[in-house]
Amino acid sequence: MKRTVFFISDGTGITAEALGDSLLAQFAEIEFEKFTLPYINTPEKAAETVKLITTAGIKDGLRPILIDTIVNDEIRQILNGCDTLKIDVFSTFIKPLELEFCTHSSYSVGKSHAIVEANRYKDRIDSINFALENDDGARTKQYSKADIILVGVSRCGKTPTCLYMALQFGIRAANYPLTEEDLEHNALPECLQPYKDKLYGLTIDPFQLTAIRHERRPNSRYSSLNQCDVEIRFVEQLFKKSLIPYINTTTFSIEEISTRIMADRGLQRRFNN
């Protein structure tokens, strides 16, 4: 089964998309064609959107799914003119809160993603810069300032995880690649030993690792299945020997990996998104 889904907002569309993706992920047997339409903030744009949605419904022979975070009532009424399954985030969640608080919402566009605090914004930027400066063992002298240090073989997901934790949680995350030489010694590199309580390991299925490495260096020893299998077995033995907690990233998203690491290490985000 295939269904068309529209994420619509008079702001960035980030909230509608994030909530919609979480809901749709529960229906793995359905193929979704997704369209995100941000800044639908005028009646003219809303009317064009209705035409687009109507055309999709005719093409599919099934009504599209519409997930929106529109706060402007006039635009919401225009969107009501098309035949969809409409999930209105604000009417679903804001109305009960208004009743509970005995007050009206401000219905302001972009509230959830606005830069409302200079300090919070600075924390986010500082954390991102820290992750970039301490990528792939570039500056081990800064590890004393790190909240977490991810370790693992090349291309197991260390860098994107560090950047996600910095962007979303303000976590100062560094990462260190364990090389073939490190694994042959079967011991943590000296630069990591003083920070053992900050270390967290990432591992991955050898078949997936060889596919990832093949994109970078095709038909090389580096990307061969045998090399990947040897490195993964050695690194997991090292994690167990050194009592370093670790996670197999094969079946998890970056969001899940980051959240699990923070929970395991008891890390707290520096700001709320």
Side-chain angles (χ1 to χ4, degrees):
M1 185 187 300
K2 179 181 177 182
R3 300 297 294 269
T4 300
V5 182
F6 290 90
F7 305 124
I8 300 179
S9 174
D10 39 16
T12 63
I14 294 173
T15 300
E17 194 176 62
L19 176 61
D21 279 335
S22 296
L23 296 173
L24 298 176
Q26 306 305 314
F27 302 92
E29 71 280 5
I30 301 176
E31 178 184 353
F32 295 105
E33 185 173 9
K34 303 173 184 177
F35 298 93
T36 301
L37 304 178
Y39 301 110
I40 306 302
N41 49 15
T42 67
E44 292 75 21
K45 289 181 180 180
E48 288 299 318
T49 300
V50 169
K51 292 179 183 178
L52 186 64
I53 294 171
T54 301
T55 300
I58 294 172
K59 177 184 175 182
D60 295 345
L62 293 167
R63 62 178 181 168
I65 312 300
L66 172 58
I67 300 175
D68 80 84
T69 53
I70 299 291
V71 300
N72 184 289
D73 192 59
E74 180 182 5
I75 294 175
R76 290 166 70 185
Q77 292 304 316
I78 295 173
L79 293 176
N80 286 339
C82 51
D83 182 21
T84 64
L85 170 61
K86 190 170 186 289
I87 301 175
D88 185 333
V89 174
F90 279 94
S91 66
T92 301
F93 298 106
I94 295 294
K95 291 297 182 185
L97 290 172
E98 287 180 332
L99 292 173
E100 179 68 22
F101 300 149
C102 298
T103 187
H104 290 291
S105 162
S106 64
Y107 287 91
S108 299
V109 177
K111 277 284 188 179
S112 59
H113 300 287
I115 301 174
V116 294
E117 294 180 17
N119 289 339
R120 186 175 70 181
Y121 180 72
K122 185 178 183 300
D123 281 340
R124 189 191 299 268
I125 297 302
D126 287 347
S127 298
I128 293 172
N129 286 335
F130 185 89
L132 292 172
E133 291 172 359
N134 292 275
D135 185 42
D136 274 347
R139 297 188 181 184
T140 59
K141 291 182 179 179
Q142 295 188 28
Y143 282 0
S144 61
K145 300 177 182 178
D147 298 313
I148 192 81
I149 303 168
L150 302 186
V151 291
V153 299
S154 172
R155 312 304 285 181
C156 68
K158 301 183 300 298
T159 296
T161 303
C162 284
L163 288 172
Y164 182 87
M165 295 174 73
L167 179 64
Q168 296 295 323
F169 307 126
I171 296 298
R172 295 190 182 94
N175 75 78
Y176 187 94
L178 293 171
T179 65
E180 192 172 3
E181 182 180 352
D182 294 326
L183 299 177
E184 287 176 354
H185 292 153
N186 197 26
L188 285 175
E190 289 186 11
C191 63
L192 296 180
Q193 291 178 11
Y195 309 105
K196 191 174 177 181
D197 60 331
K198 296 183 178 184
L199 301 183
Y200 200 99
L202 300 187
T203 183
I204 190 173
D205 180 82
F207 288 95
Q208 183 163 332
L209 182 60
T210 193
I212 294 171
R213 287 184 173 184
H214 185 75
E215 294 181 4
R216 188 179 186 185
R217 297 182 197 169
N219 303 317
S220 64
R221 178 174 175 270
Y222 169 79
S223 63
S224 69
L225 178 59
N226 180 67
Q227 180 65 21
C228 292
D229 183 61
V230 168
E231 289 185 27
I232 292 300
R233 284 192 287 108
F234 269 83
V235 80
E236 290 183 354
Q237 290 173 7
L238 179 59
F239 291 156
K240 292 174 183 176
K241 175 185 175 182
S242 304
L243 301 178
I244 298 172
Y246 68 93
I247 181 174
N248 188 312
T249 65
T250 306
T251 59
F252 296 116
S253 67
I254 291 175
E255 294 88 345
E256 291 173 309
I257 296 167
S258 301
T259 304
R260 284 170 179 262
I261 291 172
M262 291 188 62
D264 286 350
R265 277 304 192 191
L267 297 176
Q268 297 295 319
R269 65 170 71 205
R270 283 197 166 82
F271 51 73
N272 293 315
N273 290 320

